[in-house]
Amino acid sequence: MSSELSKTLWRTTIPLALGIGVGVWLFKRDIDVTTLRAISLDTHTVIGLCLALLFVVGRDFGLSWRFHTIADGKLTWKRAIRTDIMCAFTSAITPSVVGGSALAIFYLNREGIKIGRATTLTLTTLFLDELFFVIFCPVIVAIVPFDSLFGSPAMQSGDMFLSGVQIVFWLVYAGIVVWTTILYFAIIAKPEASERLIKKIASWRMMRRFSGKLEGIADNMVATSHWVKGRGRSWWLKVFGATVLSWFSRYFVVNALFWAFVPGSSAVLVFARQFVVWVVLMVSPTPGGSGISEWLFSSYYGDLIGDLGLAAVLALVWRLFSYYIYIIAGCLLLPGYFNKKEKTN
């Protein structure tokens, strides 16, 4: 076993330990025999769980479709699916502020995409993901009553958790808007001007140690701009449609779980709160949001579920479908990735 593989497998123990630790804590705190007996695995529940799995597949299909499309067919469906799973695995074992995008270049390169082109494709997918939030978050906030999404002002004043979630959401969303604007000007609107600005910053004395990386980023942004400007409207509709499909499917996993276990809840509100959850988790300091995700879900959705024990159960099932499944899949694919001979410079 290579040292890189051993190191990566070792890193999986940290998020697993955090997630399992918080899961055990939630289980001991909120779940008792009465809660477990109240959960019946009838036909309705089983169908809901099957729907949740179907949406998991939808999430991966959307991202694989996007990889396949932006690579102009140079990435087969099999390789696109493999790249998607490995990116999800990386997101699961690294802090959310790092995510799977950082190693997407490596995985694409391992699948036969030249390193320069892999960088271009990764920047494009990053822009599409950020654009999704910039467009849809205001729509959700406009459609769903503010008091339902974040809790009434009276509730927030008496609940530091709710007010904290709202503050973090707006701060992170503002950061997403700024970052998306930078990517838009750097990749689409003013790539040459952005290149000159980045290279000027790289020439500053205090930035000289980073000059090589900054100049590389500038060159990659210009290359990405030249490439995406040659794409037609139908191409943009496909890749953004695939982005929307993947994110909506990710959110519908929770809708399916609520339909299975809490059928009387508002489907629109359950869906809308997923936007808040995932935006907040973007700044999670723990690998894959481990520990924080379980606690956030059970606390934020607790008022809709009405039972702390059931909220804890749903939090654990949600993490199984949205997190642990990728840990397992990634560990199965990992040895083959590090033993892969194919790599294009």
Side-chain angles (χ1 to χ4, degrees):
M1 182 180 292
S2 66
S3 59
E4 294 88 353
L5 177 56
S6 301
K7 189 183 297 184
T8 305
L9 288 174
W10 173 249
R11 285 175 181 167
T12 64
T13 62
I14 299 174
L16 283 174
L18 284 170
I20 292 172
V22 173
V24 171
W25 174 70
L26 288 172
F27 196 90
K28 293 181 69 175
R29 188 191 70 170
D30 300 326
I31 302 174
D32 53 25
V33 177
T34 305
T35 301
L36 295 176
R37 286 178 177 173
I39 299 174
S40 59
L41 291 176
D42 55 15
T43 303
H44 180 88
T45 306
V46 172
I47 292 175
L49 291 172
C50 290
L51 283 173
L53 284 173
L54 181 63
F55 288 127
V56 170
V57 174
R59 177 261 181 208
D60 291 304
F61 172 76
L63 291 182
S64 300
W65 178 25
R66 188 173 71 177
F67 275 125
H68 178 72
T69 303
I70 64 174
D72 291 332
K74 292 184 173 64
L75 203 64
T76 64
W77 274 101
K78 181 180 178 180
R79 295 185 173 198
I81 293 170
R82 198 159 52 200
T83 302
D84 161 56
I85 292 175
M86 291 308 299
C87 286
F89 171 73
T90 303
S91 296
I93 64 172
T94 55
S96 300
V97 292
V98 177
S101 298
L103 277 178
I105 298 171
F106 166 79
Y107 296 132
L108 287 167
N109 186 225
R110 283 283 177 169
E111 295 295 352
I113 304 297
K114 292 183 178 180
I115 193 71
R117 181 70 179 279
T119 305
T120 297
L121 299 185
T122 301
L123 281 172
T124 306
T125 59
L126 179 61
F127 173 70
L128 290 166
D129 283 329
E130 304 303 310
L131 185 63
F132 169 82
F133 284 101
V134 169
I135 292 174
F136 283 100
C137 279
V139 174
I140 291 297
V141 172
I143 293 175
V144 179
F146 196 86
D147 291 353
S148 298
L149 193 60
F150 294 108
S152 65
M155 289 174 62
Q156 291 175 27
S157 62
D159 192 333
M160 291 296 292
F161 170 77
L162 287 175
S163 58
V165 166
Q166 182 181 349
I167 291 170
V168 173
F169 171 81
W170 287 118
L171 286 175
V172 176
Y173 179 70
I176 291 173
V177 172
V178 171
W179 177 230
T180 306
T181 302
I182 292 173
L183 286 174
Y184 172 75
F185 278 98
I187 294 175
I188 298 175
K190 301 287 183 180
E192 286 78 13
S194 300
E195 180 189 25
R196 289 194 297 270
L197 176 61
I198 293 173
K199 289 187 174 180
K200 184 176 181 180
I201 293 173
S203 67
W204 295 351
R205 180 178 296 178
M206 67 178 68
M207 301 300 292
R208 281 178 184 170
R209 61 180 296 190
F210 306 107
S211 60
K213 290 184 178 180
L214 288 173
E215 289 177 1
I217 290 172
D219 293 338
N220 287 328
M221 283 184 169
V222 172
T224 302
S225 173
H226 292 160
W227 182 72
V228 298
K229 282 183 178 179
R231 308 297 99 183
R233 183 180 298 179
S234 62
W235 182 90
W236 280 105
L237 288 174
K238 279 183 182 180
V239 294
F240 190 67
T243 302
V244 173
L245 172 63
S246 66
W247 279 105
F248 273 34
S249 295
R250 190 192 306 250
Y251 297 167
F252 280 137
V253 170
V254 178
N255 278 86
L257 294 179
F258 267 80
W259 186 80
F261 295 98
V262 195
S265 57
S266 168
V268 174
L269 184 55
V270 170
F271 180 81
R273 286 193 179 186
Q274 277 290 284
F275 277 87
V276 178
V277 167
W278 285 99
V279 168
V280 170
L281 287 178
M282 284 184 180
V283 291
S284 170
T286 61
S290 297
I292 294 176
S293 298
E294 293 85 353
W295 170 76
L296 176 63
F297 184 95
S298 60
S299 300
Y300 188 43
Y301 279 106
D303 62 322
L304 298 181
I305 299 171
D307 181 274
L308 290 177
L310 183 56
V313 170
L314 282 184
L316 297 177
V317 176
W318 169 62
R319 286 294 277 172
L320 176 64
F321 286 164
S322 64
Y323 176 74
Y324 290 106
I325 192 172
Y326 296 109
I327 288 279
I328 296 169
C331 286
L332 292 175
L333 289 176
L334 201 59
Y337 251 89
F338 280 101
N339 293 329
K340 232 175 167 18
K341 300 284 186 185
E342 185 171 0
K343 187 175 180 181
T344 307
N345 294 320

